[in-house]
Amino acid sequence: LFAPIPDHPMSGFPVELCSKLSMVVKPLDNFAIVLGIDPPFLISVEKALLIVSGLHDQKQLRTYQQKLDTMQQHFERSVTVSKSNDYEKAQALFMSLWEKKPNRYNGDFLLAKVIDNQLDEDKDKKVGNCVGLTSLYSVLGVRLGLDVAVLCSEDHVLSLLSYSGQKIVVENTLP
């Protein structure tokens, strides 16, 4: 579901959702700051999401980054990405993920599990929940050069695409 938000990031949302939205997460140049160690350091959001998924050594991280490479390359081969504007590219990415797995929602929220589910040959295999689906869409979107942020509330997460001065909500759990 793609929904433009005119002028203000909250306009166009149902009132009950607007009141619950608590933050927009916009990675600093697609990096997260790792705190709790001295000194704190930057790590890519993609890598941070994979580490949170339980991948702790470089071999595991490389394996999943290669799976993301495969997904990105498949998308770039199947869609005329270079000729698309960012809105068309974002919409094509959304449709590509949904066409491969139309029955997407389950309880999986870790990026590594969602990647495996998305790549599973079984078209009926469910993929993830709002956290996992938004993580996958956002990581692939960033890889494709899209200006993607994440909207978070107490009970929901979705992607926010910035395009030509507009904010566009990408609801990853609904087609």
Side-chain angles (χ1 to χ4, degrees), residues 16 71 122 159:
E16 63 276 5
M71 294 173 80
D122 180 1
S159 300

Side-chain angles (χ1 to χ4, degrees), residues 99-164:
E99 287 168 3
K100 183 164 175 31
K101 298 288 180 151
N103 190 11
R104 302 181 63 69
Y105 193 87
N106 71 16
D108 292 330
F109 60 92
L110 297 174
L111 180 58
K113 182 68 174 161
V114 170
I115 291 168
D116 287 338
N117 292 343
Q118 183 70 34
L119 291 173
D120 192 296
E121 293 299 319
D122 180 1
K123 189 171 182 155
D124 294 324
K125 175 89 173 182
K126 296 180 181 184
V127 182
N129 67 10
C130 63
V131 174
L133 295 171
T134 298
S135 295
L136 178 62
Y137 180 87
S138 298
V139 164
L140 289 171
V142 167
R143 282 171 158 246
L144 293 168
L146 300 175
D147 187 0
V148 181
V150 176
L151 276 171
C152 301
S153 74
E154 293 176 12
D155 56 1
H156 196 55
V157 177
L158 42 81
S159 300
L160 184 68
L161 172 70
S162 294
Y163 172 69
S164 291

Side-chain angles (χ1 to χ4, degrees), residues 56-72:
H56 298 293
D57 64 54
Q58 289 301 317
K59 183 178 178 187
Q60 291 174 321
L61 288 170
R62 271 193 307 277
T63 297
Y64 277 86
Q65 287 173 320
Q66 288 169 345
K67 289 179 181 188
L68 286 165
D69 291 343
T70 299
M71 294 173 80
Q72 178 183 354

Side-chain angles (χ1 to χ4, degrees), residues 40-55:
F41 66 95
L42 293 177
I43 185 172
S44 74
V45 170
E46 176 180 309
K47 195 170 189 177
L49 288 169
L50 290 171
I51 291 168
V52 170
S53 293
L55 309 179

